[in-house]
Amino acid sequence: MQRYEIATLSTTMGAAAKAAPAIEAFAGEGNGRLLGIFYADIGVLNRVLVLRGFDTVADYDAERERTLRASNPFGSAEWLTGLELEGYAPFPFLPPVETGSFGPAYEFRTYVLKTGGLEPTIRAWEAAVPARTELSKLTICMYGIDGKPRMTHIWPFSSVNERGQVRADSVAQGVWPPKGGPDWLTRDMQSTIAFPTANSPLK
């Protein structure tokens, strides 16, 4: 896929389950592919994260326009208190997102990059990912094409406890973080643990 989007829907309390079918229907009417619908459980709460993928830049642009102009974006206007759309391109060496049951605890982690930091970060990740993914699957790593220079990666785990153990093991084995990668990160970092809704293609 050439482009990805993470839509962050800030909602009223407990709205994720009600909004999920409407989100699925809205995505099905447009360009691109719905990859996941998640509700935030650790991090800022009352948020629904929607991951979509697009085969072409034109499809991505058309869907962004449709979403922005919609009077009822994601079919969820009655529950929305805010909406943020973030566009991404995948790290070029990674395969497209594969849907299926890999979670159910997904970590969305974003780092703002220092100026000029994208290319060295991609090279560092390309060297490190094969060994790291022997420990746990990577859903995707991608870089922002709008807003602040940033990268976001998504990892599935069977539980929050497994996430902690895998991260500890990766450091102890010297396979993570990517060598030289942290040199290009600012202190602007955030992480969310989210769980898929019942109708999410990623589980």
PDB file of all heavy atoms in Angstrom, residues 67-94:
ATOM      1  N   THR A  67     -13.875  12.486   3.385  1.00  0.00           N
ATOM      2  CA  THR A  67     -14.023  12.509   4.840  1.00  0.00           C
ATOM      3  C   THR A  67     -14.143  13.930   5.361  1.00  0.00           C
ATOM      4  O   THR A  67     -14.994  14.222   6.211  1.00  0.00           O
ATOM      5  CB  THR A  67     -12.834  11.797   5.502  1.00  0.00           C
ATOM      6  OG1 THR A  67     -12.728  10.458   4.997  1.00  0.00           O
ATOM      7  CG2 THR A  67     -13.006  11.739   7.009  1.00  0.00           C
ATOM      8  N   LEU A  68     -13.321  14.818   4.849  1.00  0.00           N
ATOM      9  CA  LEU A  68     -13.347  16.203   5.313  1.00  0.00           C
ATOM     10  C   LEU A  68     -14.676  16.891   4.984  1.00  0.00           C
ATOM     11  O   LEU A  68     -15.153  17.731   5.751  1.00  0.00           O
ATOM     12  CB  LEU A  68     -12.191  16.984   4.691  1.00  0.00           C
ATOM     13  CG  LEU A  68     -10.792  16.643   5.206  1.00  0.00           C
ATOM     14  CD1 LEU A  68      -9.731  17.347   4.379  1.00  0.00           C
ATOM     15  CD2 LEU A  68     -10.641  17.014   6.678  1.00  0.00           C
ATOM     16  N   ARG A  69     -15.254  16.537   3.851  1.00  0.00           N
ATOM     17  CA  ARG A  69     -16.484  17.203   3.417  1.00  0.00           C
ATOM     18  C   ARG A  69     -17.750  16.515   3.913  1.00  0.00           C
ATOM     19  O   ARG A  69     -18.855  17.027   3.719  1.00  0.00           O
ATOM     20  CB  ARG A  69     -16.498  17.297   1.887  1.00  0.00           C
ATOM     21  CG  ARG A  69     -15.347  18.134   1.350  1.00  0.00           C
ATOM     22  CD  ARG A  69     -15.376  18.276  -0.144  1.00  0.00           C
ATOM     23  NE  ARG A  69     -16.523  19.057  -0.581  1.00  0.00           N
ATOM     24  CZ  ARG A  69     -16.646  19.581  -1.807  1.00  0.00           C
ATOM     25  NH1 ARG A  69     -15.690  19.395  -2.698  1.00  0.00           N
ATOM     26  NH2 ARG A  69     -17.717  20.270  -2.135  1.00  0.00           N
ATOM     27  N   ALA A  70     -17.600  15.383   4.581  1.00  0.00           N
ATOM     28  CA  ALA A  70     -18.771  14.638   5.043  1.00  0.00           C
ATOM     29  C   ALA A  70     -19.476  15.381   6.178  1.00  0.00           C
ATOM     30  O   ALA A  70     -18.834  15.884   7.113  1.00  0.00           O
ATOM     31  CB  ALA A  70     -18.348  13.252   5.518  1.00  0.00           C
ATOM     32  N   SER A  71     -20.792  15.428   6.119  1.00  0.00           N
ATOM     33  CA  SER A  71     -21.560  16.021   7.214  1.00  0.00           C
ATOM     34  C   SER A  71     -21.656  15.075   8.402  1.00  0.00           C
ATOM     35  O   SER A  71     -21.926  15.503   9.528  1.00  0.00           O
ATOM     36  CB  SER A  71     -22.969  16.395   6.731  1.00  0.00           C
ATOM     37  OG  SER A  71     -23.643  15.235   6.246  1.00  0.00           O
ATOM     38  N   ASN A  72     -21.404  13.786   8.138  1.00  0.00           N
ATOM     39  CA  ASN A  72     -21.454  12.771   9.192  1.00  0.00           C
ATOM     40  C   ASN A  72     -20.218  11.872   9.055  1.00  0.00           C
ATOM     41  O   ASN A  72     -20.334  10.700   8.684  1.00  0.00           O
ATOM     42  CB  ASN A  72     -22.742  11.952   9.075  1.00  0.00           C
ATOM     43  CG  ASN A  72     -22.928  10.983  10.233  1.00  0.00           C
ATOM     44  OD1 ASN A  72     -22.274  11.083  11.276  1.00  0.00           O
ATOM     45  ND2 ASN A  72     -23.817  10.015  10.050  1.00  0.00           N
ATOM     46  N   PRO A  73     -19.028  12.409   9.356  1.00  0.00           N
ATOM     47  CA  PRO A  73     -17.804  11.635   9.129  1.00  0.00           C
ATOM     48  C   PRO A  73     -17.779  10.343   9.942  1.00  0.00           C
ATOM     49  O   PRO A  73     -18.118  10.337  11.120  1.00  0.00           O
ATOM     50  CB  PRO A  73     -16.690  12.596   9.559  1.00  0.00           C
ATOM     51  CG  PRO A  73     -17.355  13.604  10.437  1.00  0.00           C
ATOM     52  CD  PRO A  73     -18.759  13.727   9.929  1.00  0.00           C
ATOM     53  N   PHE A  74     -17.419   9.261   9.263  1.00  0.00           N
ATOM     54  CA  PHE A  74     -17.383   7.928   9.862  1.00  0.00           C
ATOM     55  C   PHE A  74     -18.739   7.514  10.435  1.00  0.00           C
ATOM     56  O   PHE A  74     -18.815   6.618  11.270  1.00  0.00           O
ATOM     57  CB  PHE A  74     -16.277   7.835  10.924  1.00  0.00           C
ATOM     58  CG  PHE A  74     -14.905   7.958  10.349  1.00  0.00           C
ATOM     59  CD1 PHE A  74     -14.225   9.171  10.363  1.00  0.00           C
ATOM     60  CD2 PHE A  74     -14.280   6.865   9.764  1.00  0.00           C
ATOM     61  CE1 PHE A  74     -12.960   9.289   9.800  1.00  0.00           C
ATOM     62  CE2 PHE A  74     -13.014   6.972   9.198  1.00  0.00           C
ATOM     63  CZ  PHE A  74     -12.353   8.187   9.222  1.00  0.00           C
ATOM     64  N   GLY A  75     -19.793   8.174   9.983  1.00  0.00           N
ATOM     65  CA  GLY A  75     -21.125   7.855  10.478  1.00  0.00           C
ATOM     66  C   GLY A  75     -21.296   8.081  11.959  1.00  0.00           C
ATOM     67  O   GLY A  75     -22.237   7.569  12.572  1.00  0.00           O
ATOM     68  N   SER A  76     -20.403   8.889  12.540  1.00  0.00           N
ATOM     69  CA  SER A  76     -20.303   8.955  14.006  1.00  0.00           C
ATOM     70  C   SER A  76     -20.500  10.347  14.578  1.00  0.00           C
ATOM     71  O   SER A  76     -20.118  10.604  15.721  1.00  0.00           O
ATOM     72  CB  SER A  76     -18.926   8.418  14.436  1.00  0.00           C
ATOM     73  OG  SER A  76     -18.745   7.088  14.009  1.00  0.00           O
ATOM     74  N   ALA A  77     -21.095  11.241  13.807  1.00  0.00           N
ATOM     75  CA  ALA A  77     -21.198  12.626  14.253  1.00  0.00           C
ATOM     76  C   ALA A  77     -21.898  12.753  15.607  1.00  0.00           C
ATOM     77  O   ALA A  77     -21.550  13.612  16.420  1.00  0.00           O
ATOM     78  CB  ALA A  77     -21.935  13.460  13.202  1.00  0.00           C
ATOM     79  N   GLU A  78     -22.885  11.883  15.873  1.00  0.00           N
ATOM     80  CA  GLU A  78     -23.627  12.022  17.130  1.00  0.00           C
ATOM     81  C   GLU A  78     -22.775  11.720  18.354  1.00  0.00           C
ATOM     82  O   GLU A  78     -23.120  12.109  19.472  1.00  0.00           O
ATOM     83  CB  GLU A  78     -24.861  11.129  17.125  1.00  0.00           C
ATOM     84  CG  GLU A  78     -24.582   9.636  17.080  1.00  0.00           C
ATOM     85  CD  GLU A  78     -25.856   8.811  17.063  1.00  0.00           C
ATOM     86  OE1 GLU A  78     -26.559   8.792  18.102  1.00  0.00           O
ATOM     87  OE2 GLU A  78     -26.151   8.199  16.024  1.00  0.00           O
ATOM     88  N   TRP A  79     -21.652  11.004  18.171  1.00  0.00           N
ATOM     89  CA  TRP A  79     -20.785  10.660  19.298  1.00  0.00           C
ATOM     90  C   TRP A  79     -19.475  11.444  19.303  1.00  0.00           C
ATOM     91  O   TRP A  79     -18.738  11.383  20.276  1.00  0.00           O
ATOM     92  CB  TRP A  79     -20.450   9.168  19.263  1.00  0.00           C
ATOM     93  CG  TRP A  79     -21.649   8.281  19.273  1.00  0.00           C
ATOM     94  CD1 TRP A  79     -22.541   8.111  20.305  1.00  0.00           C
ATOM     95  CD2 TRP A  79     -22.117   7.461  18.205  1.00  0.00           C
ATOM     96  NE1 TRP A  79     -23.520   7.227  19.941  1.00  0.00           N
ATOM     97  CE2 TRP A  79     -23.292   6.806  18.663  1.00  0.00           C
ATOM     98  CE3 TRP A  79     -21.659   7.189  16.912  1.00  0.00           C
ATOM     99  CZ2 TRP A  79     -24.008   5.920  17.851  1.00  0.00           C
ATOM    100  CZ3 TRP A  79     -22.362   6.313  16.112  1.00  0.00           C
ATOM    101  CH2 TRP A  79     -23.520   5.691  16.582  1.00  0.00           C
ATOM    102  N   LEU A  80     -19.192  12.165  18.220  1.00  0.00           N
ATOM    103  CA  LEU A  80     -17.887  12.810  18.099  1.00  0.00           C
ATOM    104  C   LEU A  80     -17.780  14.079  18.926  1.00  0.00           C
ATOM    105  O   LEU A  80     -18.685  14.910  18.941  1.00  0.00           O
ATOM    106  CB  LEU A  80     -17.594  13.162  16.639  1.00  0.00           C
ATOM    107  CG  LEU A  80     -17.214  12.029  15.697  1.00  0.00           C
ATOM    108  CD1 LEU A  80     -16.969  12.578  14.293  1.00  0.00           C
ATOM    109  CD2 LEU A  80     -15.970  11.306  16.199  1.00  0.00           C
ATOM    110  N   THR A  81     -16.638  14.232  19.592  1.00  0.00           N
ATOM    111  CA  THR A  81     -16.268  15.501  20.211  1.00  0.00           C
ATOM    112  C   THR A  81     -15.028  16.081  19.538  1.00  0.00           C
ATOM    113  O   THR A  81     -14.636  17.205  19.829  1.00  0.00           O
ATOM    114  CB  THR A  81     -15.995  15.314  21.711  1.00  0.00           C
ATOM    115  OG1 THR A  81     -14.902  14.395  21.889  1.00  0.00           O
ATOM    116  CG2 THR A  81     -17.225  14.764  22.427  1.00  0.00           C
ATOM    117  N   GLY A  82     -14.407  15.302  18.640  1.00  0.00           N
ATOM    118  CA  GLY A  82     -13.242  15.776  17.911  1.00  0.00           C
ATOM    119  C   GLY A  82     -12.816  14.727  16.895  1.00  0.00           C
ATOM    120  O   GLY A  82     -13.124  13.548  17.036  1.00  0.00           O
ATOM    121  N   LEU A  83     -12.110  15.172  15.849  1.00  0.00           N
ATOM    122  CA  LEU A  83     -11.652  14.273  14.794  1.00  0.00           C
ATOM    123  C   LEU A  83     -10.293  14.746  14.293  1.00  0.00           C
ATOM    124  O   LEU A  83     -10.121  15.927  13.976  1.00  0.00           O
ATOM    125  CB  LEU A  83     -12.650  14.249  13.641  1.00  0.00           C
ATOM    126  CG  LEU A  83     -12.253  13.442  12.396  1.00  0.00           C
ATOM    127  CD1 LEU A  83     -12.090  11.972  12.734  1.00  0.00           C
ATOM    128  CD2 LEU A  83     -13.279  13.636  11.284  1.00  0.00           C
ATOM    129  N   GLU A  84      -9.335  13.834  14.243  1.00  0.00           N
ATOM    130  CA  GLU A  84      -8.002  14.126  13.716  1.00  0.00           C
ATOM    131  C   GLU A  84      -7.648  13.076  12.671  1.00  0.00           C
ATOM    132  O   GLU A  84      -7.816  11.876  12.894  1.00  0.00           O
ATOM    133  CB  GLU A  84      -6.960  14.101  14.839  1.00  0.00           C
ATOM    134  CG  GLU A  84      -5.554  14.450  14.390  1.00  0.00           C
ATOM    135  CD  GLU A  84      -4.561  14.470  15.544  1.00  0.00           C
ATOM    136  OE1 GLU A  84      -4.981  14.214  16.689  1.00  0.00           O
ATOM    137  OE2 GLU A  84      -3.368  14.726  15.285  1.00  0.00           O
ATOM    138  N   LEU A  85      -7.159  13.530  11.510  1.00  0.00           N
ATOM    139  CA  LEU A  85      -6.764  12.657  10.413  1.00  0.00           C
ATOM    140  C   LEU A  85      -5.269  12.807  10.178  1.00  0.00           C
ATOM    141  O   LEU A  85      -4.788  13.916   9.947  1.00  0.00           O
ATOM    142  CB  LEU A  85      -7.535  13.010   9.140  1.00  0.00           C
ATOM    143  CG  LEU A  85      -9.062  12.989   9.234  1.00  0.00           C
ATOM    144  CD1 LEU A  85      -9.674  13.533   7.949  1.00  0.00           C
ATOM    145  CD2 LEU A  85      -9.574  11.582   9.510  1.00  0.00           C
ATOM    146  N   GLU A  86      -4.554  11.699  10.228  1.00  0.00           N
ATOM    147  CA  GLU A  86      -3.110  11.715  10.028  1.00  0.00           C
ATOM    148  C   GLU A  86      -2.753  10.801   8.866  1.00  0.00           C
ATOM    149  O   GLU A  86      -3.146   9.627   8.836  1.00  0.00           O
ATOM    150  CB  GLU A  86      -2.382  11.236  11.276  1.00  0.00           C
ATOM    151  CG  GLU A  86      -2.572  12.136  12.487  1.00  0.00           C
ATOM    152  CD  GLU A  86      -1.850  11.584  13.698  1.00  0.00           C
ATOM    153  OE1 GLU A  86      -2.249  10.507  14.178  1.00  0.00           O
ATOM    154  OE2 GLU A  86      -0.880  12.220  14.139  1.00  0.00           O
ATOM    155  N   GLY A  87      -1.997  11.337   7.901  1.00  0.00           N
ATOM    156  CA  GLY A  87      -1.587  10.575   6.738  1.00  0.00           C
ATOM    157  C   GLY A  87      -0.177  10.030   6.891  1.00  0.00           C
ATOM    158  O   GLY A  87       0.697  10.676   7.477  1.00  0.00           O
ATOM    159  N   TYR A  88       0.045   8.823   6.334  1.00  0.00           N
ATOM    160  CA  TYR A  88       1.334   8.148   6.471  1.00  0.00           C
ATOM    161  C   TYR A  88       1.716   7.428   5.178  1.00  0.00           C
ATOM    162  O   TYR A  88       0.852   7.012   4.396  1.00  0.00           O
ATOM    163  CB  TYR A  88       1.265   7.091   7.580  1.00  0.00           C
ATOM    164  CG  TYR A  88       1.190   7.648   8.973  1.00  0.00           C
ATOM    165  CD1 TYR A  88      -0.040   7.865   9.593  1.00  0.00           C
ATOM    166  CD2 TYR A  88       2.350   7.947   9.688  1.00  0.00           C
ATOM    167  CE1 TYR A  88      -0.113   8.368  10.883  1.00  0.00           C
ATOM    168  CE2 TYR A  88       2.284   8.456  10.977  1.00  0.00           C
ATOM    169  CZ  TYR A  88       1.054   8.656  11.568  1.00  0.00           C
ATOM    170  OH  TYR A  88       0.985   9.154  12.851  1.00  0.00           O
ATOM    171  N   ALA A  89       3.017   7.258   5.016  1.00  0.00           N
ATOM    172  CA  ALA A  89       3.581   6.365   4.006  1.00  0.00           C
ATOM    173  C   ALA A  89       4.340   5.270   4.738  1.00  0.00           C
ATOM    174  O   ALA A  89       4.968   5.528   5.774  1.00  0.00           O
ATOM    175  CB  ALA A  89       4.503   7.119   3.058  1.00  0.00           C
ATOM    176  N   PRO A  90       4.328   4.042   4.231  1.00  0.00           N
ATOM    177  CA  PRO A  90       5.008   2.950   4.939  1.00  0.00           C
ATOM    178  C   PRO A  90       6.518   3.025   4.782  1.00  0.00           C
ATOM    179  O   PRO A  90       7.024   3.524   3.769  1.00  0.00           O
ATOM    180  CB  PRO A  90       4.457   1.701   4.242  1.00  0.00           C
ATOM    181  CG  PRO A  90       4.138   2.167   2.853  1.00  0.00           C
ATOM    182  CD  PRO A  90       3.658   3.588   3.004  1.00  0.00           C
ATOM    183  N   PHE A  91       7.253   2.532   5.776  1.00  0.00           N
ATOM    184  CA  PHE A  91       8.680   2.324   5.580  1.00  0.00           C
ATOM    185  C   PHE A  91       8.827   1.397   4.372  1.00  0.00           C
ATOM    186  O   PHE A  91       8.158   0.356   4.292  1.00  0.00           O
ATOM    187  CB  PHE A  91       9.308   1.713   6.833  1.00  0.00           C
ATOM    188  CG  PHE A  91       9.668   2.726   7.899  1.00  0.00           C
ATOM    189  CD1 PHE A  91       9.037   3.956   7.963  1.00  0.00           C
ATOM    190  CD2 PHE A  91      10.624   2.424   8.855  1.00  0.00           C
ATOM    191  CE1 PHE A  91       9.367   4.886   8.947  1.00  0.00           C
ATOM    192  CE2 PHE A  91      10.973   3.351   9.841  1.00  0.00           C
ATOM    193  CZ  PHE A  91      10.346   4.582   9.883  1.00  0.00           C
ATOM    194  N   PRO A  92       9.674   1.749   3.413  1.00  0.00           N
ATOM    195  CA  PRO A  92       9.622   1.108   2.088  1.00  0.00           C
ATOM    196  C   PRO A  92       9.980  -0.375   2.066  1.00  0.00           C
ATOM    197  O   PRO A  92       9.632  -1.070   1.112  1.00  0.00           O
ATOM    198  CB  PRO A  92      10.610   1.921   1.262  1.00  0.00           C
ATOM    199  CG  PRO A  92      11.505   2.582   2.257  1.00  0.00           C
ATOM    200  CD  PRO A  92      10.665   2.836   3.462  1.00  0.00           C
ATOM    201  N   PHE A  93      10.636  -0.880   3.077  1.00  0.00           N
ATOM    202  CA  PHE A  93      11.049  -2.277   3.074  1.00  0.00           C
ATOM    203  C   PHE A  93      10.008  -3.207   3.691  1.00  0.00           C
ATOM    204  O   PHE A  93      10.196  -4.431   3.691  1.00  0.00           O
ATOM    205  CB  PHE A  93      12.382  -2.435   3.830  1.00  0.00           C
ATOM    206  CG  PHE A  93      12.319  -2.045   5.271  1.00  0.00           C
ATOM    207  CD1 PHE A  93      11.990  -2.967   6.252  1.00  0.00           C
ATOM    208  CD2 PHE A  93      12.574  -0.734   5.658  1.00  0.00           C
ATOM    209  CE1 PHE A  93      11.920  -2.607   7.585  1.00  0.00           C
ATOM    210  CE2 PHE A  93      12.501  -0.356   6.987  1.00  0.00           C
ATOM    211  CZ  PHE A  93      12.178  -1.300   7.953  1.00  0.00           C
ATOM    212  N   LEU A  94       8.913  -2.655   4.199  1.00  0.00           N
ATOM    213  CA  LEU A  94       7.916  -3.473   4.900  1.00  0.00           C
ATOM    214  C   LEU A  94       6.785  -3.912   3.967  1.00  0.00           C
ATOM    215  O   LEU A  94       6.392  -3.170   3.065  1.00  0.00           O
ATOM    216  CB  LEU A  94       7.325  -2.695   6.073  1.00  0.00           C
ATOM    217  CG  LEU A  94       8.275  -2.402   7.224  1.00  0.00           C
ATOM    218  CD1 LEU A  94       7.595  -1.501   8.257  1.00  0.00           C
ATOM    219  CD2 LEU A  94       8.745  -3.695   7.887  1.00  0.00           C
TER     220      LEU A  94
END
